[in-house]
Amino acid sequence: MSTADEIREFVFEKIIKPAKMRDEPEIVIRAGDIHHDMGLKNAMPSVCNALSGKKFAEFANLSLMERAGPRNGANVYFTFSMIGSNTPQSLDHQTTDPALPKSQAPPKSPAITKSIKAASSLDLTDAVVLVSCVKSKLPHPAPARELYTSTWFTKVRKIVEDRNADWYILSALHGLVSPNVMIAPYERTLNTLGVTDRRAWATETLDQLIPKIGKRNRIVFFAGMRYREFLVAPLRNIGLAVEVPMEGLSIGRQLAWLSAIK
């Protein structure tokens, strides 16, 4: 078995197969994590080529939605749609491994390129930062800042805390949560709630948030549309500047954006 085939087998068994068993609709894979977990040496191009090629998508029965980041490197992110069954095709019966055709590669948007380049200059001075909760959590109660375990959340948390920003978590169950408050894991998400329930959640969350803003004049969201849709207008109506640094970026490009921040 070639190194490329070993990479495909590893990713399928350790990441794709468990994700399909959890019925996740899509998954993001970072090339550097695979390189590290497999104990590879100077093989980053091999990892990137193995994951971007048609052979892996066919083997794991996936669809490559997006590749974001540098051409090759640790911070290349692959977003896959989890389609099909859990049964992979045999690598032994596949003889070709073409690279992703240019016509299928994600288009290079000047706006997105500019956004990623601007990530390193992120300024959270005089801002209250709001970060949405995520599905991945510890199986036991923990301080809110530690409870959520997704790569996206931990990257945002590090960036916010490195800048000593005042921040809170937008919890679908609890509303506004201070990072050090102990909470238990839960399954609620705004993404499955109707508009009436989402409006009610936003009203309660605003009541919790406004007393904590103090003299600050900016609100910075690291949160999806469902978590900010009914918060933005009321915040602007009381004179606050509202910013969404990663607005319009897919999850893969958000991870690339976050990785660009020093």
Side-chain angles (χ1 to χ4, degrees):
M1 181 179 289
S2 68
T3 298
D5 285 344
E6 290 178 356
I7 292 169
R8 296 182 190 101
E9 289 274 15
F10 177 88
V11 174
F12 179 79
E13 292 296 330
K14 300 296 184 180
I15 299 176
I16 302 301
K17 193 173 181 179
K20 286 192 174 188
M21 294 178 67
R22 295 192 297 268
D23 293 324
E24 295 186 9
E26 66 181 54
I27 192 166
V28 178
I29 299 174
R30 178 177 177 269
D33 294 338
I34 304 305
H35 193 274
H36 175 271
D37 293 347
M38 292 187 68
L40 299 174
K41 302 294 184 182
N42 301 318
M44 204 64 71
S46 296
V47 174
C48 293
N49 289 336
L51 296 183
S52 65
K54 182 179 178 182
K55 188 173 183 179
F56 178 66
E58 291 180 345
F59 163 64
N61 207 4
L62 303 169
S63 176
L64 179 59
M65 300 171 62
E66 181 179 58
R67 172 177 172 160
R71 182 172 183 177
N72 286 311
N75 289 322
V76 180
Y77 292 88
F78 299 89
T79 304
F80 291 98
S81 174
M82 308 288 283
I83 62 173
S85 67
N86 289 339
T87 304
Q89 299 179 30
S90 171
L91 286 170
D92 296 334
H93 296 297
Q94 300 183 37
T95 58
T96 60
D97 185 20
L100 187 68
K102 291 182 179 180
S103 61
Q104 295 181 21
K108 293 183 178 179
S109 163
I112 290 174
T113 300
K114 181 179 179 181
S115 177
I116 290 176
K117 287 182 178 179
S120 60
S121 62
L122 177 69
D123 180 12
L124 300 179
T125 304
D126 200 27
V128 174
V129 181
L130 303 178
V131 182
S132 65
C133 64
V134 295
K135 181 178 180 180
S136 299
K137 304 177 185 70
L138 294 173
H140 54 76
R145 61 180 297 278
E146 299 174 10
L147 180 71
Y148 307 97
T149 59
S150 75
T151 299
W152 181 92
F153 185 89
T154 54
K155 281 180 176 291
V156 173
R157 183 190 71 195
K158 183 178 187 306
I159 289 165
V160 172
E161 292 184 339
D162 283 351
R163 284 160 172 73
N164 295 314
D166 187 12
W167 71 292
Y168 299 91
I169 296 160
L170 296 174
S171 164
L173 181 62
H174 303 290
L176 195 74
V177 177
S178 296
N180 292 319
V181 170
M182 292 286 294
I183 57 174
Y186 57 89
E187 295 299 324
R188 183 181 173 92
T189 172
L190 296 189
N191 295 325
T192 60
L193 297 183
V195 65
T196 300
D197 288 334
R198 298 200 309 272
R199 285 184 183 276
W201 174 88
T203 298
E204 294 175 3
T205 301
L206 277 170
D207 288 343
Q208 296 171 303
L209 172 62
I210 289 175
K212 297 181 182 297
I213 294 174
K215 296 182 179 180
R216 296 176 182 83
N217 57 20
R218 300 169 58 213
I219 302 292
V220 178
F221 281 94
F222 289 95
M225 178 58 72
R226 288 284 187 262
Y227 285 79
R228 64 177 196 268
E229 59 183 337
F230 299 121
L231 296 177
V232 171
L235 291 170
R236 285 177 172 160
N237 287 342
I238 61 174
L240 296 168
V242 176
E243 302 169 25
V244 187
M246 299 190 293
E247 186 173 18
L249 299 183
S250 67
I251 184 63
R253 288 195 169 109
Q254 287 185 37
L255 289 167
W257 191 95
L258 293 167
S259 295
I261 296 179
K262 306 302 182 183

